[in-house]
C-alpha cells in the first residue's frame, strides 16, 4: 500500500527565505504527483502537477521536483512571503492510472513578516 | 458563478438521520470525487465518478451512497449518519486525471451528534 510522508509537519521561517518542503512515497510506481495548498477552513488549491516522466515543474516562485526512483519530491518556494502561510500537501496517483490519490499529511508553513 | 460549489457549508445532524451533501461544478469535468479529511488520517477518497452514471468506490465507502445522473452534480448521501462520519467533506473535479490537477470545493463541515 502506498504511503506518503511529508516532513517536517510544521515549519516557521522569516519572510524572504527560500525554503524546501519534502514529500516521500514508498511505491515508486506512480503516474503523477501533485502539490496542493490548503488555507485554514478552505479547500485545496492545486499548485503543480508533475507527470512521472518529468523531473520538475515551475510556476512563479514555486518549483517542484520529482525523483521517482528514490520516491521523493520537493517543493521549493523562493523568497517566501507571509501570504505563503498555509498547509502544503502532496498527493500521488498510482502507476496503474487508478483514480485514488494518496495524500501526505501536509506541512504547515508559517512565514513571519 | 463558475467553479465547484459545495452545500451546505456547515451541517449538524443526529445519529441515524440521512443527510445529503451537494456538489456542483460548472466546467463539465468528467471526473468528480468525494474526500473526507480527518485529523490523523489526512484526506481519504470515499467515492469517485468518471462520467455521468459511472461511479466507483474509494478507500472508505462504507455508509455512503453516491449518484451522478448529471455531469455537473455529484451528491453524497450518508444513509444513516454515525458519529464516526463527523468530518470535513471535500468534493473535487478534473477534466482528465492523467493530464490535469484536481479542483477542490471549499468543503462541508459535518458534525454528527
Amino acid at each position: 500500500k502506498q504511503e506518503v510522508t511529508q516532513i517536517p509537519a510544521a515549519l516557521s521561517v522569516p519572510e524572504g527565505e527560500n525554503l524546501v518542503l519534502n514529500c516521500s512515497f514508498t511505491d515508486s510506481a506512480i503516474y503523477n504527483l501533485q502539490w496542493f495548498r490548503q488555507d485554514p477552513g478552505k479547500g485545496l488549491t492545486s499548485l503543480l502537477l508533475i507527470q512521472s516522466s518529468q523531473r520538475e515543474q515551475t510556476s512563479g516562485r514555486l518549483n517542484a521536483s520529482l525523483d521517482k526512483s528514490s520516491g521523493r519530491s520537493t517543493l521549493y518556494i523562493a523568497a517566501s512571503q507571509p501570504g505563503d502561510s498555509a498547509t502544503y500537501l502532496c498527493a500521488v496517483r498510482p502507476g496503474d492510472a487508478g483514480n485514488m490519490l494518496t495524500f501526505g499529511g501536509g506541512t504547515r508553513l508559517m512565514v513571519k513578516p | 458563478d463558475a467553479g465547484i460549489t459545495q452545500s451546505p457549508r456547515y451541517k449538524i445532524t443526529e445519529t441515524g438521520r440521512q443527510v445529503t451533501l451537494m456538489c456542483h461544478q460548472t466546467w463539465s469535468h468528467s471526473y468528480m470525487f468525494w474526500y473526507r479529511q480527518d485529523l490523523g488520517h489526512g484526506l481519504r477518497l470515499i467515492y469517485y465518478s468518471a462520467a455521468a452514471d459511472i461511479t466507483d468506490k474509494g478507500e472508505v465507502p462504507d455508509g455512503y451512497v453516491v449518484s451522478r445522473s448529471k455531469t455537473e452534480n455529484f451528491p453524497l448521501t450518508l444513509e444513516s449518519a454515525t458519529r464516526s462520519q463527523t468530518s470535513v467533506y471535500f468534493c473535487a473535479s478534473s477534466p482528465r486525471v492523467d493530464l490535469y490537477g484536481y479542483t477542490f470545493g471549499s468543503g462541508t463541515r459535518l458534525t454528527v451528534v
Side-chain angles (χ1 to χ4, degrees), chain A residues 34 38 41 49 51 93 99, chain B residues 9 37 48 97-99 102:
Chain A
Q34 295 183 56
Q38 186 175 26
L49 171 68
Q51 301 293 349
R93 185 157 176 257
N99 290 306
Chain B
R9 189 80 173 87
Q37 186 174 36
Y48 69 94
V97 293
D98 56 344
L99 292 180
Y102 289 31

Side-chain angles (χ1 to χ4, degrees), chain B residues 28-88:
Chain B
S28 298
H29 285 175
S30 296
Y31 290 86
M32 295 188 75
F33 307 85
W34 275 106
Y35 283 86
R36 58 178 292 174
Q37 186 174 36
D38 305 285
L39 281 174
H41 291 282
L43 278 144
R44 293 178 292 175
L45 181 65
I46 304 170
Y47 269 96
Y48 69 94
S49 169
D53 297 321
I54 300 175
T55 62
D56 208 346
K57 296 178 180 179
E59 183 182 357
V60 289
D62 293 343
Y64 303 95
V65 175
V66 294
S67 62
R68 195 164 177 210
S69 57
K70 293 184 178 181
T71 299
E72 61 267 29
N73 296 324
F74 191 38
L76 176 73
T77 297
L78 288 67
E79 294 184 295
S80 178
T82 65
R83 289 195 179 88
S84 65
Q85 293 177 309
T86 293
S87 185
V88 181

Side-chain angles (χ1 to χ4, degrees), chain A residues 6-84:
Chain A
Q6 292 186 247
I7 296 174
L11 181 63
S12 180
V13 300
E15 181 178 4
E17 269 203 14
N18 301 325
L19 57 98
V20 174
L21 306 181
N22 297 296
C23 172
S24 61
F25 44 94
T26 55
D27 186 349
S28 62
I30 65 169
Y31 195 88
N32 58 38
L33 182 146
Q34 295 183 56
W35 282 93
F36 294 89
R37 167 186 173 138
Q38 186 175 26
D39 294 284
K42 300 288 179 64
L44 281 69
T45 300
S46 181
L47 298 174
L48 290 163
L49 171 68
I50 311 177
Q51 301 293 349
S52 62
S53 59
Q54 297 175 317
R55 297 285 293 182
E56 63 179 78
Q57 281 283 346
T58 298
S59 176
R61 295 182 294 108
L62 304 179
N63 176 277
S65 67
L66 175 63
D67 184 344
K68 201 173 72 164
S69 61
S70 67
R72 298 198 309 181
S73 176
T74 61
L75 179 67
Y76 175 83
I77 303 177
S80 60
Q81 304 170 357
D84 295 329

Side-chain angles (χ1 to χ4, degrees), chain A residues 83-104:
Chain A
D84 295 329
S85 298
T87 297
Y88 291 82
L89 299 113
C90 66
V92 300
R93 185 157 176 257
D96 62 1
N99 290 306
M100 194 175 305
L101 290 183
T102 301
F103 282 82

